């Protein structure tokens, strides 16, 4: 009988002491939790998957509560529209108010316009090419062109043309999957309304870029001078357009000696492609 | 000093908890997908291992052994470690929010992890003193971190490659883990060789 007593008393005793300490700790060291954050946390699925970009649902809820206007309420992909609506209702903001964005590929280096360091023969995915000395192209910032982005796109909105990814703006819904997949990080998500962008990501010096690529940014700053709205700046040997200040005037694109600032025509101005009759005649 | 180095080296390399003793495989396979979460998890493991040893060694040697109930070790250790981690989490949240933010997600995950329990039990089995036990736990945590760090890099490379459909996911991960484990077996004679034991 006495063989039972010591272990039972001990385990119960240790358990009791631990319970008392934890209860006291929870009482005296309690951190006041934001009421809104708590409600938001309940509205979220609680899967702690991190799809929103925060470390779990708790983190996302507190970020939302701390900055209701700055943090988008529709970041929870697993929760979908219903969770976004619930979060929006709790915060009093429109859950679908996020500005539409599209993908833009920041490289124009077509195969015949860029130099190569080597011939690559291996797995034909950008991610594995990237691990092999940064890829065969001389420019280590450019599009690799094996189409990892094409693979992940569910909307048929991106394709590889002559070794460079090209976005079809009409199909792009702005999910950002390609931007996440790209090992070179050269796909940027830009607002739909901004139609002017610098299609190059090279941080090499102007001279180096000029040697290896016919369409790379050489950081000449002519665009900076041409811009009347202070929207273009050359940082780290690459021109960047601030979509907030840019009014899509296209002056920088005219000034660019390398033609890498692309201007996308207004959707209504885009005419259906009509093949002239004489071309048809010569073809026949 | 020489003994301390032997304990640390032994815990990190020759008796690496994940790759040689096969403890803590669950977090090893689960959290090694990304380097930053692997590092966060490992930091939490180092922290909890040292804390748990500091709490369980006195309990074993001052409470269980004198009363002749050393066989209650496992259940009492689980209880104490779980309570301790909870307490630490509450305290961190209150006084060191920055650290809590970094370790917070991982702390509850490893409360009753077998690597944590394993290190506390092994310390007793090896007959280490208090300071030696702490050193061994610290080394075990660092060994866990090393394994996680290496394996996060390995997994990044595996996933970028094109391999047969049947090996996708956990199958290729386990094969890679076994190869890494084999390479760690190579350390087993190293400690003896260096220190001439």
């Amino acid at each position: 009988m006495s063989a039972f007593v010591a272990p039972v008393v001990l385990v119960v005793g240790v358990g009791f002491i631990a319970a008392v300490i934890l209860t006291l700790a929870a009482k005296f060291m309690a951190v006041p939790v934001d009421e809104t954050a708590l409600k938001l946390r309940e509205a979220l699925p609680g899967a702690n998957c991190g799809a929103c970009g925060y470390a779990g649902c708790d983190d996302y809820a507190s970020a939302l509560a701390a900055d209701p206007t700055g943090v988008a309420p529709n970041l929870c992909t697993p929760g979908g529209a219903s969770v976004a609506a619930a979060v929006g209702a709790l915060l009093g903001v429109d859950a679908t108010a996020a500005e539409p964005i599209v993908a833009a590929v920041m490289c124009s280096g077509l195969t015949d316009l860029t130099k190569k360091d080597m011939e690559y023969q291996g797995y034909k995915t950008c991610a594995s090419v990237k691990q092999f000395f940064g890829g065969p192209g001389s420019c280590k910032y450019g599009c690799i062109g094996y189409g990892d982005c094409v693979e992940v796109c569910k909307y048929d909105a991106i394709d590889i043309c002559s070794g460079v990814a090209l976005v079809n703006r009409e199909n792009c819904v702005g999910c950002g999957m390609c931007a996440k997949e790209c090992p070179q990080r050269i796909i940027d998500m830009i607002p739909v309304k901004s139609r002017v962008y610098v299609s190059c990501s090279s941080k090499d010096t102007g001279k180096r870029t000029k040697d290896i690529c016919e369409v790379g940014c050489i950081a000449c700053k002519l665009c900076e001078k041409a811009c009347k709205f202070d929207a273009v700046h050359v940082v780290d040997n690459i021109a960047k357009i601030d979509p907030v200040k840019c009014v899509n005037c296209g002056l920088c694109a005219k000034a660019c000696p390398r033609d890498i600032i692309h201007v996308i025509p207004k959707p209504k101005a885009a005419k259906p492609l009509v093949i002239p009759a004489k071309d048809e005649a010569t073809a026949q | 000093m020489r003994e301390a180095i032997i304990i640390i080296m032994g815990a990190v390399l020759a008796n690496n908890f994940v790759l040689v003793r096969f403890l803590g495989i669950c977090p090893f396979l689960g959290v090694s997908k990304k380097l930053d979460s692997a590092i966060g998890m490992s930091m939490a493991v180092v922290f909890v291992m040292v804390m748990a040893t500091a709490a369980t060694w006195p309990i074993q040697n001052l409470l269980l052994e004198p009363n002749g109930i050393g066989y209650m070790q496992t259940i009492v250790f689980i209880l104490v470690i779980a309570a301790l981690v909870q307490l630490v989490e509450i305290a961190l949240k209150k006084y060191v929010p920055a650290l809590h933010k970094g370790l917070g997600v991982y702390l509850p995950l490893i409360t009753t992890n077998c690597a944590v329990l394993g290190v506390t039990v092994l310390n007793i089995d090896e007959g280490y003193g208090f300071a030696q036990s702490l050193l061994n736990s610290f080394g075990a945590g660092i060994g866990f971190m090393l394994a996680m760090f290496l394996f996060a890099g390995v997994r990044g490379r595996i996933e970028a490659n094109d391999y047969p459909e049947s090996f996708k996911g956990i199958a290729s991960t386990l094969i890679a883990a076994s190869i890494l484990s084999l390479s760690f077996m190579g350390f087993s004679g190293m400690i003896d060789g260096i220190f001439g034991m």
Side-chain angles (χ1 to χ4, degrees), chain A residues 4-270:
Chain A
F4 286 109
V5 178
V8 169
V9 166
L10 187 101
V11 175
V12 171
V14 170
F16 186 73
I17 293 169
V20 168
I21 293 176
L22 280 184
T23 314
L24 289 178
K27 190 151 179 67
F28 289 109
M29 294 198 263
V31 181
V33 184
D34 196 339
E35 281 288 312
T36 337
L38 213 60
K39 278 186 194 151
L40 286 168
R41 173 65 190 78
E42 275 167 21
L44 293 169
N48 289 322
C49 64
C52 50
Y54 291 89
C57 296
D58 283 324
D59 205 26
Y60 182 41
S62 39
L64 274 170
D67 188 8
T69 47
V71 181
N74 52 1
L75 293 180
C76 182
T77 329
S82 59
V83 167
V87 170
L90 278 168
L91 290 173
V93 293
D94 190 1
T96 54
E99 193 179 6
I101 51 173
V102 285
V105 179
M106 301 304 184
C107 177
S108 330
L110 306 178
T111 314
D112 46 353
L113 299 179
T114 52
K115 279 192 183 155
K116 273 190 181 352
D117 282 343
M118 56 186 154
E119 284 301 321
Y120 175 79
Q121 293 183 336
Y123 296 124
K124 305 276 192 226
T125 65
C126 303
S128 52
V129 177
K130 169 84 175 165
Q131 284 175 354
F132 195 73
F133 302 105
S138 300
C139 176
K140 298 306 174 198
Y141 300 96
C143 181
I144 294 171
Y146 281 117
D148 284 13
C149 47
V150 182
E151 285 293 314
V152 293
C153 184
K154 295 189 180 76
Y155 304 94
D156 202 18
I158 195 162
D159 216 342
I160 302 291
C161 301
S162 308
V164 173
L166 203 66
V167 176
N168 179 347
R169 283 201 163 205
E170 281 172 24
N171 287 2
C172 183
V173 299
C175 66
M177 290 296 283
C178 51
K180 272 186 202 155
E181 191 70 15
C182 179
Q184 297 286 65
R185 299 284 179 266
I186 54 163
I187 303 180
D188 274 8
M189 303 308 294
I190 59 173
V192 172
K193 68 174 171 59
S194 104
R195 289 181 287 105
V196 182
Y197 67 97
V198 184
S199 187
C200 178
S201 307
S202 170
K203 292 191 175 69
D204 283 329
T205 57
K207 185 180 181 308
R208 161 106 183 132
T209 309
K210 201 160 190 166
D211 285 345
I212 57 176
C213 179
E214 286 176 33
V215 284
C217 178
I218 52 171
C220 62
K221 300 199 178 185
L222 284 178
C223 48
E224 223 179 271
K225 283 171 197 136
C227 186
K228 294 192 173 79
F229 304 94
D230 192 37
V232 192
H233 288 287
V234 176
V235 183
D236 286 344
N237 293 319
I238 176 80
K240 278 273 173 206
I241 295 177
D242 182 354
V244 179
K245 288 180 186 162
C246 180
V247 296
N248 298 321
C249 66
L251 283 175
C252 52
K254 287 194 190 99
C256 181
R258 312 281 286 176
D259 288 335
I260 51 143
I261 301 186
H262 292 192
V263 183
I264 294 154
K266 278 182 188 165
K268 60 182 174 187

Side-chain angles (χ1 to χ4, degrees), chain A residues 3 6-7 10-11 14-15 18 21-22 25-26 29-31 55 59 123 125 127-128 131, chain B residues 63-64 69 71-72 76 79-80 83 86-87 90-91 93-95 101 156-157 160-162:
Chain A
L10 187 101
V11 175
V14 170
I21 293 176
L22 280 184
M29 294 198 263
V31 181
D59 205 26
Y123 296 124
T125 65
S128 52
Q131 284 175 354
Chain B
L63 199 62
L64 297 182
I69 44 172
Y71 59 88
M72 294 299 287
V76 172
L79 186 63
V80 170
Q86 281 296 314
L87 183 67
I90 295 171
K93 200 170 188 176
K94 172 82 175 171
Y95 298 112
K101 212 170 180 181
R157 299 228 146 195
N161 279 332
D162 182 23

Side-chain angles (χ1 to χ4, degrees), chain B residues 134-147:
Chain B
L134 288 181
L135 266 181
N136 189 39
S137 303
F138 181 72
I142 297 294
F144 184 86
M145 183 183 280
L146 178 69

